[in-house]
Amino acid sequence: MRNIKSNLNVLLAILLGSVLSLSVNAEDQNDRWSMLCENGDVSYCNLVGRKYVATGDYQKAITVYQSACSHNSGEGCSWLGTLYMNGQGTRKSIRKANELYIKSCEMQYGQGCLKLAQLYEENYEFEQYRSRAPEYYSKGCSFGNAESCMNLGALYSEGISVEIDRNRAVKYFDQACNNKNGLGCLHAGEMYSEDYDKFRHDYKKALESYHKACELAVAPGCTALGLMYEEGKGDDADTELAASYYKIACNLNDAEGCLYFAEAVDKGFGVKRDPEQANEYYKTACNLGQINACHSSTPTVKN
């Protein structure tokens, strides 16, 4: 017993020493990053700035990002703009944020262009510049910012500040999707699965897009994928695959996915029939806001 206790004490000492070592190493790393930043290495200023933002030390973040921005870091200017936009560590100034986002975008930093476009599109103080949002989304997209591509696709699909152009919309959704933007994949899938005037559906591409959306944990993409397999669009009909994707969507809290999986379990559609389990999924779908599911069970709705 003494040997066991002794060994445990040794193990605890080793673990404690490891924790302390990691803490010291982290502090050493932060000190090294700060020193490199002070010596003019802008990339480390941005790392230090992120650390300060993460810990809520916004005043220090402001100082670091001011240094980065003054040394022509698009990332530093963009972050500094966001801090001014939110009034974190400094007095809130939307106009100062605007200036910094412009500077960031001019430095070809995609996130800065995105923030600028969103500012023009959403903030009433810059309503006169709203028509320029597509221009800055386009720049952000060309600089590799996936969210800019996705937002630009949305503008073209809905005809906001630009003429409706389905071909351009799906082009930008695809670009966003290829850069791991799950919503871009979802919207590309939606475009490929329907007919719009001269734009004709392509079920195989829709299936590919929904697969990517689901892999990126965009729940409606998983539900749409299940429907494609259920209806045999883009591939052979496969009820087992359909049910499996409905279940994945439900696990990601998609109400429609839960409803479809409940119906599959209720009817034994691609899975073993189990009315009791189906009732639980109907309850889940109802609690997530799917009204049709509420009529199929006796759910205990969350307060």
Side-chain angles (χ1 to χ4, degrees):
M1 184 65 72
R2 286 181 180 176
N3 287 337
I4 293 174
K5 286 183 178 180
S6 177
N7 290 337
L8 284 172
N9 289 334
V10 170
L11 180 59
L12 286 170
I14 292 172
L15 289 172
L16 181 60
S18 298
V19 170
L20 291 172
S21 176
L22 286 171
S23 177
V24 170
N25 288 339
E27 289 177 10
D28 287 346
Q29 184 183 60
N30 290 336
D31 290 341
R32 187 166 65 252
W33 287 356
S34 296
M35 189 178 298
L36 288 165
C37 172
E38 290 170 7
N39 289 335
D41 194 325
V42 177
S43 61
Y44 285 97
C45 293
N46 290 321
L47 287 172
V48 172
R50 287 184 200 175
K51 181 199 74 172
Y52 287 139
V53 168
T55 57
D57 197 339
Y58 298 120
Q59 288 187 332
K60 286 185 178 178
I62 283 279
T63 301
V64 169
Y65 282 130
Q66 281 174 335
S67 175
C69 185
S70 67
H71 286 88
N72 297 320
S73 165
E75 181 180 350
C77 295
S78 177
W79 268 105
L80 188 58
T82 298
L83 292 171
Y84 272 103
M85 188 75 187
N86 297 331
Q88 295 169 311
T90 185
R91 185 176 180 180
K92 183 173 182 175
S93 174
I94 297 175
R95 295 195 175 277
K96 183 67 175 178
N98 174 57
E99 293 171 10
L100 289 161
Y101 290 149
I102 290 173
K103 189 173 181 180
S104 174
C105 188
E106 288 173 348
M107 293 175 188
Q108 301 188 4
Y109 184 66
Q111 187 77 7
C113 303
L114 169 70
K115 294 293 185 183
L116 186 59
Q118 289 175 328
L119 181 63
Y120 289 166
E121 191 177 14
E122 299 168 6
N123 195 284
Y124 72 91
E125 287 190 35
F126 292 92
E127 190 173 0
Q128 69 270 32
Y129 299 116
R130 187 167 295 168
S131 61
R132 298 195 68 182
E135 172 192 344
Y136 287 108
Y137 281 136
S138 180
K139 287 183 178 182
C141 183
S142 69
F143 300 147
N145 183 268
E147 191 174 348
S148 291
C149 301
M150 199 275 294
N151 289 353
L152 186 57
L155 294 186
Y156 276 110
S157 70
E158 298 170 20
I160 299 174
S161 299
V162 291
E163 292 291 327
I164 289 179
D165 189 327
R166 307 290 181 185
N167 289 307
R168 281 191 177 185
V170 79
K171 167 193 167 184
Y172 288 119
F173 286 145
D174 276 337
Q175 252 182 284
C177 183
N178 291 335
N179 283 314
K180 307 297 182 185
N181 183 284
L183 285 177
C185 301
L186 174 66
H187 294 319
E190 290 170 342
M191 302 258 341
Y192 283 127
S193 63
E194 301 289 344
D195 291 323
Y196 301 94
D197 298 325
K198 295 179 181 179
F199 189 89
R200 291 288 173 258
H201 69 260
D202 186 329
Y203 290 142
K204 286 192 178 296
K205 285 186 177 180
L207 198 70
E208 290 173 9
S209 297
Y210 286 140
H211 264 294
K212 290 177 182 178
C214 189
E215 287 168 2
L216 291 167
V218 176
C222 304
T223 299
L225 193 55
L227 284 168
M228 295 285 285
Y229 278 113
E230 181 178 337
E231 297 169 6
K233 292 180 177 178
D235 205 343
D236 295 333
D238 190 323
T239 57
E240 287 187 23
L241 271 178
S244 70
Y245 283 115
Y246 293 147
K247 186 174 183 180
I248 292 171
C250 186
N251 289 339
L252 291 170
N253 292 324
D254 184 69
E256 193 174 22
C258 293
L259 173 61
Y260 289 145
F261 187 65
E263 290 174 346
V265 175
D266 201 8
K267 299 171 183 175
F269 187 73
V271 289
K272 183 179 178 181
R273 186 169 185 271
D274 188 336
E276 188 175 334
Q277 185 186 47
N279 194 54
E280 292 303 313
Y281 280 102
Y282 281 128
K283 289 179 182 179
T284 300
C286 178
N287 289 335
L288 288 170
Q290 178 51 259
I291 302 301
N292 292 334
C294 303
H295 304 305
S296 302
S297 66
T298 309
T300 304
V301 182
K302 295 177 182 176
N303 294 324

